[in-house]
Amino acid sequence: MNRDRIEKTGKTPEEAIAAALMVLDATKDDVTIEILDPGAKGGLFGIGGRPAMVAVTRNYDPVQSAKEFLREVTLAMGLSVTIETTRKEKYLNINVVGENMGILIGKRGATLDALQYLTNLVVNRGGVPEFSVILDTENYRKRRRETLESLAQNLARKVKAIRKPVSLEPMSRYERHIIHTVLQNDRFIRTYSEGNEPFRHVVITTMNKSREA
């Protein structure tokens, strides 16, 4: 990934700027330019002169940062992909298109979730979250949500029939939230989460007591 800030020298500020832009593979519209030293021509035969020095900093673009990061990661995974982005307010939806996307998804979406987490860190590099990245491929998020909704309803019926709690497999906080949301209006069913990450899981029960997600 390209460095964000380049310091360059040249005979003139213009030459130094051109050299920095070449390294960053950017145009003047993409950067902020600071003249650190305009340089000096010097006296007779150039004696006593000094080169100009500039600092050129790439303007922060969260979408471009996310794309560059994901290109490097998918390339390292041996995948050839197209990265599609849609930015709406503070949400950045990213869809990765290509072959063998099962590798990118991983078991129960574990790899996709990990990449989404890392991409969020890259985009919100200042430490204070400004954008929420939602990473998807092959419509996995929707398909997984529909699977979890169906699973929750089926297990709720089972719990009502056997009148015993049922524990689900460990899930991410996002997926646990889906289970809780689907069953929250069922007056015969209560759900809660127990255990520690990454083994925290949902329990579906007929008990009146509920706990935090």
Side-chain angles (χ1 to χ4, degrees):
M1 195 178 297
N2 289 333
R3 289 176 292 172
D4 291 327
R5 178 184 170 92
I6 294 292
E7 291 186 4
K8 279 289 183 179
T9 58
K11 291 182 179 180
T12 64
E14 289 73 20
E15 286 189 1
I17 291 169
L21 291 176
M22 184 176 296
V23 173
L24 289 174
D25 189 22
T27 68
K28 286 187 176 182
D29 292 335
D30 300 325
V31 301
T32 299
I33 299 170
E34 180 184 0
I35 307 295
L36 302 178
D37 187 338
K41 293 182 178 180
L44 186 63
F45 305 117
I47 297 174
R50 65 177 187 278
M53 176 175 286
V54 302
V56 177
T57 305
R58 184 187 296 277
N59 296 330
Y60 177 56
D61 183 343
V63 175
Q64 189 62 28
S65 295
K67 282 185 173 182
E68 289 181 359
F69 171 71
L70 289 171
R71 283 195 191 100
E72 288 196 351
V73 171
T74 52
L75 184 61
M77 296 173 71
L79 300 174
S80 177
V81 303
T82 300
I83 300 172
E84 302 171 342
T85 61
T86 304
R87 181 177 171 183
K88 185 177 182 181
E89 296 179 348
K90 292 191 175 183
Y91 291 92
L92 178 57
N93 293 282
I94 303 176
N95 185 47
V96 182
V97 181
E99 297 182 355
N100 301 319
M101 288 295 95
I103 298 174
L104 195 68
I105 295 171
K107 186 177 180 180
R108 291 196 294 271
T111 303
L112 191 64
D113 286 341
L115 276 177
Q116 178 174 279
Y117 172 76
L118 293 174
T119 307
N120 267 289
L121 292 181
V122 169
V123 169
N124 299 295
R125 59 184 183 178
V128 179
E130 295 183 9
F131 299 92
S132 180
V133 175
I134 301 173
L135 182 63
D136 199 6
T137 183
E138 296 186 341
N139 213 21
Y140 173 79
R141 298 292 184 195
K142 181 181 179 181
R143 291 188 288 110
R144 179 63 173 166
R145 183 183 186 90
E146 291 173 347
T147 296
L148 291 175
E149 290 174 343
S150 177
L151 175 66
Q153 292 165 351
N154 290 337
L155 290 179
R157 286 192 288 268
K158 178 180 178 179
V159 167
K160 291 174 185 176
I162 65 176
R163 295 187 177 277
K164 292 182 179 180
V166 171
S167 296
L168 283 71
E169 65 187 15
M171 296 178 182
S172 66
R173 183 179 181 86
Y174 170 76
E175 293 190 340
R176 296 196 305 270
H177 177 71
I178 292 174
I179 302 294
H180 294 307
T181 301
V182 170
L183 301 178
Q184 66 182 355
N185 294 323
D186 190 325
R187 61 193 181 95
F188 299 106
I189 290 294
R190 296 292 182 269
T191 64
Y192 61 89
S193 295
E194 66 178 11
N196 299 318
E197 303 290 2
F199 305 108
R200 194 163 175 78
H201 60 275
V202 175
V203 177
I204 302 175
T205 180
T206 55
M207 296 171 58
N208 291 326
K209 185 177 180 181
S210 64
R211 304 179 189 178
E212 291 184 357

